Amino acid sequence: MGTKTIGIIGCGAIGETLAAYIEKELKPYVSGIVFFDVVRVCAEKLAKNTANSKIFSNIDDVVASSDLIIESAVGSCVPDLLRKVIDSEKDIMIMSIGGLLTVKDLLVEAEKKGVKVILPSGAIAGLDAIKASKVAGIKKVTLTTRKAPGSISGAPYLIENDIDVEKITEETVIFEGNVTEAVKGFPKNINVSALLSLAGIGPDKTKVKIIVSPEYTRNIHEIEVESEAGKITTRAENVPFPKNPKTSYLAALAAITALEGYFKNVRIGT
Ligand SMILES: NC(=O)c1ccc[n+]([C@@H]2O[C@H](COP(=O)([O-])OP(=O)(O)OC[C@H]3O[C@@H](n4cnc5c(N)ncnc54)[C@H](O)[C@@H]3O)[C@@H](O)[C@H]2O)c1
């Protein structure tokens, strides 16, 4: 693989972390980086610290100038962006995976056209084993997520149901449903559920429970899977990422690892 130009759409906590990692560790693989953020100053900040970089003011120019596009912005931009990436036969890494659920067909199209779509494992553990279990047949998948009130505030589900999480004083189940409903209600908080559903039995059959308590200092994701190959239980207790407490530190690290996997030849694990 020759050197590539990377386009980063969304220059917040994850975009900044990836740009810094590329600059430090992936220089031999990367000929340049281009940035776009709806808040231009965020892109300018990253470009200032990155060699061979450019800022664009729209998604079309980023797609046209890049070999690999990294989406680290917002779920609502994913359908249009993925369409453009497929039409241009580029590759893409998507962080706002909830935004994919309405355009799952595009994944089939990407596969046919040879467009690589990378969905990092985020802040959950066990996706390797869940993917392997799917080969045998999965019967049931449940995700239980525990979060501090601050990391979930402003979610549409809370507003629609008049739930003030700041008033919660003890462990409280605030949501139970499937992934389709969870992603609608908590578009910025529950990307891992979308990912889990794509790896397993889909968004309508994958169950989600969200529990909030002021006692929680970490974002905890527990997964239970029952399949023909046995039972899997995983639990990840994630430190919030200082640059954006709604994001887990592990999710940023998983993005780095997925990006490395795109460039490197030796692959450890599934
Ligand atoms: N897959 C996962 O496990 C996982 C984990 C954490 C976060 N995420 C998702 O990744 C995304 C980035 O997370 P973050 O912590 O860096 O968020 P962030 O809020 O720190 O940064 C997002 C950046 O994107 C910019 N932006 C918003 N809408 C845009 C658009 N339409 N086009 C271009 N730029 C836009 C914002 O101005 C901001 O600078 C979010 O959607 C988040 O929900 C996914």
Side-chain angles (χ1 to χ4, degrees):
M1 190 190 275
T3 57
K4 303 275 187 189
T5 298
I6 297 183
I8 297 185
I9 294 174
C11 303
I14 292 177
E16 182 183 352
T17 303
L18 290 174
Y21 191 79
I22 294 164
E23 183 71 2
K24 195 164 161 246
E25 304 289 345
L26 296 178
K27 265 191 174 159
Y29 305 92
V30 176
S31 42
I33 309 191
V34 302
F35 297 108
F36 167 61
D37 196 296
V38 280
V39 182
R40 192 178 168 88
V41 67
C42 297
E44 284 171 353
K45 197 175 133 205
L46 297 203
K48 216 172 96 187
N49 299 320
T50 312
N52 300 323
S53 66
K54 245 187 202 168
I55 299 172
F56 285 121
S57 51
N58 61 72
I59 281 178
D60 288 351
D61 288 344
V62 175
V63 173
S65 317
S66 311
D67 302 297
L68 169 68
I69 293 95
I70 297 174
E71 178 285 318
S72 48
V74 66
S76 55
C77 80
V78 168
D80 184 43
L81 174 61
L82 181 55
R83 177 75 270 156
K84 287 178 171 150
V85 168
I86 292 172
D87 290 345
S88 315
E89 300 193 9
K90 305 294 180 79
D91 294 330
I92 185 165
M93 181 163 119
I94 297 172
M95 293 307 301
S96 310
I97 297 170
L100 260 179
L101 293 187
T102 55
V103 288
K104 289 202 298 298
D105 291 355
L106 291 184
L107 295 178
V108 179
E109 203 180 323
E111 183 64 48
K112 277 191 195 145
K113 276 203 163 176
V115 167
K116 279 197 169 56
V117 179
I118 302 160
L119 309 177
S121 296
I124 52 175
L127 215 59
D128 49 355
I130 294 163
K131 278 160 60 185
S133 303
K134 192 179 175 183
V135 179
I138 295 177
K139 295 177 205 155
K140 197 175 158 201
V141 182
T142 309
L143 170 72
T144 304
T145 291
R146 291 179 167 79
K147 283 178 181 279
S151 77
I152 212 159
S153 56
Y157 180 88
L158 301 177
I159 295 163
E160 277 157 28
N161 291 283
D162 211 11
I163 300 170
D164 183 352
V165 278
E166 299 300 338
K167 287 198 178 135
I168 290 176
T169 54
E170 58 189 16
E171 221 173 43
T172 305
V173 176
I174 56 156
F175 173 84
E176 273 187 286
N178 65 23
V179 169
T180 308
E181 293 155 353
V183 165
K184 260 190 212 141
F186 302 88
K188 292 190 177 166
N189 315 91
I190 202 86
N191 280 293
V192 289
S193 74
L195 180 71
L196 181 63
S197 73
L198 292 172
I201 53 176
D204 294 334
K205 288 190 190 148
T206 306
K207 303 261 183 299
V208 180
K209 189 192 270 193
I210 302 175
I211 306 173
V212 166
S213 167
E215 301 283 306
Y216 299 154
T217 53
R218 296 183 170 181
N219 300 323
I220 302 170
H221 298 301
E222 279 172 357
I223 297 171
E224 276 185 27
V225 177
E226 284 174 34
S227 80
E228 295 298 336
K231 188 172 172 182
I232 298 164
T233 307
T234 73
R235 178 179 165 102
E237 293 191 13
N238 296 295
V239 173
F241 200 33
K243 289 172 185 163
N244 178 4
K246 287 188 171 143
T247 284
S248 296
Y249 185 27
L250 190 66
L253 301 178
I256 284 175
T257 314
L259 186 58
E260 274 197 337
Y262 176 76
F263 288 107
K264 297 203 171 165
N265 297 320
V266 176
R267 178 180 298 220
I268 299 168
T270 50

